[in-house]
Amino acid sequence: MKEIFLIGLGNPGKKYSKSRHNIGFLLLEQLSKKYNSNFLLKDKLKSSCSEFQINDSTFRLFLPNTFMNNSGDAVRAIVDWYKINLDQIFIIVDDKDLPLGKIRFRRKGSSGGHNGLKSIIEQLQTQNFKRIRIGIGSPPIKGKNNFNTISHVLGNISLEEKSILNKVYKRVIESLEQLNTKKEEYIINELNSFDKDQP
């Protein structure tokens, strides 16, 4: 039985639940709901967890409760508890350097300035883990090149953004469901070539 570990990054708590920084949480919550599975808090994993089967694979979903900047603590706890190979892990994360609605699936890479990824790299001592980055666009320019990154990433997703992101979630979820049947190369290409304007 193949096991797939999906870890969404975000901040726990109502205050952040609709923020752009919580796209990893929002996507996995939709996937879990689709399979009628609920998230339960597991202290030893520093995460809320949900588990279900698709075909002959077990999908384990995690929402760390460590706050974004310490995401690595939860990922480390999950890796140690399940004694898993890093190949089985997929991190789902927001990216302000990608335009809204763009998806980038990479097998490895730097944090790109993302504190959640930075924390995971520090804890795992490697950049070799898969991540699916979902574009949230850059913050609007206020005054003279004053990008207010923090209020952008922690700001709530607007209705217009939500309709684009719903298409993104649908596409990513369909690809994740095929992780056990399609070659990874195929899924990478499918996600990286996604166009939000296609009907």
Side-chain angles (χ1 to χ4, degrees), residues 22 46 54 80 84 88 92 110 131 135 159 173 187 191:
N22 271 39
K46 301 182 181 179
I54 301 176
D80 290 350
I84 43 181
Q88 294 169 273
I92 296 163
S110 72
R131 72 286 308 262
L159 282 175
I173 284 170
I187 288 170
L191 289 179

Side-chain angles (χ1 to χ4, degrees), residues 24 55 68 84 91 93 95 102 107 122 142 149 195 199:
N55 301 326
M68 184 63 89
I84 43 181
I91 307 289
V93 62
D95 191 332
K102 270 269 174 241
R107 288 199 173 104
E122 280 167 12
K142 291 200 179 102
T149 302
D195 179 357

Side-chain angles (χ1 to χ4, degrees), residues 71-138:
S71 301
D73 296 354
V75 175
R76 176 85 265 172
I78 293 162
V79 169
D80 290 350
W81 175 259
Y82 288 100
K83 298 182 173 45
I84 43 181
N85 188 316
L86 293 188
D87 256 14
Q88 294 169 273
I89 288 181
F90 297 81
I91 307 289
I92 296 163
V93 62
D94 64 288
D95 191 332
K96 64 176 173 44
D97 298 323
L98 281 178
L100 179 72
K102 270 269 174 241
I103 308 169
R104 277 286 166 271
F105 184 158
R106 294 268 184 275
R107 288 199 173 104
K108 57 182 179 188
S110 72
S111 68
H114 192 289
N115 289 336
L117 290 175
K118 203 180 289 179
S119 169
I120 295 170
I121 289 167
E122 280 167 12
Q123 283 289 342
L124 298 182
Q125 295 286 294
T126 180
Q127 297 187 349
N128 297 344
F129 54 85
K130 295 170 207 162
R131 72 286 308 262
I132 296 172
R133 304 189 339 254
I134 294 171
I136 57 169
S138 3

Side-chain angles (χ1 to χ4, degrees), residues 135-178:
I136 57 169
S138 3
I141 299 173
K142 291 200 179 102
K144 262 203 176 150
N145 296 334
N146 173 21
F147 279 74
N148 191 345
T149 302
I150 292 174
S151 57
H152 178 65
V153 299
L154 293 181
N156 282 349
I157 294 164
S158 70
L159 282 175
E160 196 183 334
E161 289 171 321
K162 192 169 190 272
S163 73
I164 292 172
L165 288 169
N166 281 337
K167 289 185 193 173
V168 171
Y169 298 156
K170 186 172 181 287
R171 170 72 279 177
V172 175
I173 284 170
E174 283 168 3
S175 292
L176 291 172
E177 289 169 330
Q178 298 174 338

Side-chain angles (χ1 to χ4, degrees), residues 3-5 7 42 44-45 47 49-51 58-62 74-85 88-89:
E3 290 185 311
I4 293 165
F5 294 79
I7 303 168
K42 296 203 174 160
K44 65 186 176 226
L45 299 173
S47 305
C49 311
S50 163
E51 195 177 300
T58 299
F59 280 69
R60 298 184 197 277
L61 279 52
F62 303 89
V75 175
R76 176 85 265 172
I78 293 162
V79 169
D80 290 350
W81 175 259
Y82 288 100
K83 298 182 173 45
I84 43 181
N85 188 316
Q88 294 169 273
I89 288 181

Side-chain angles (χ1 to χ4, degrees), residues 13 74 185:
E185 276 307 322

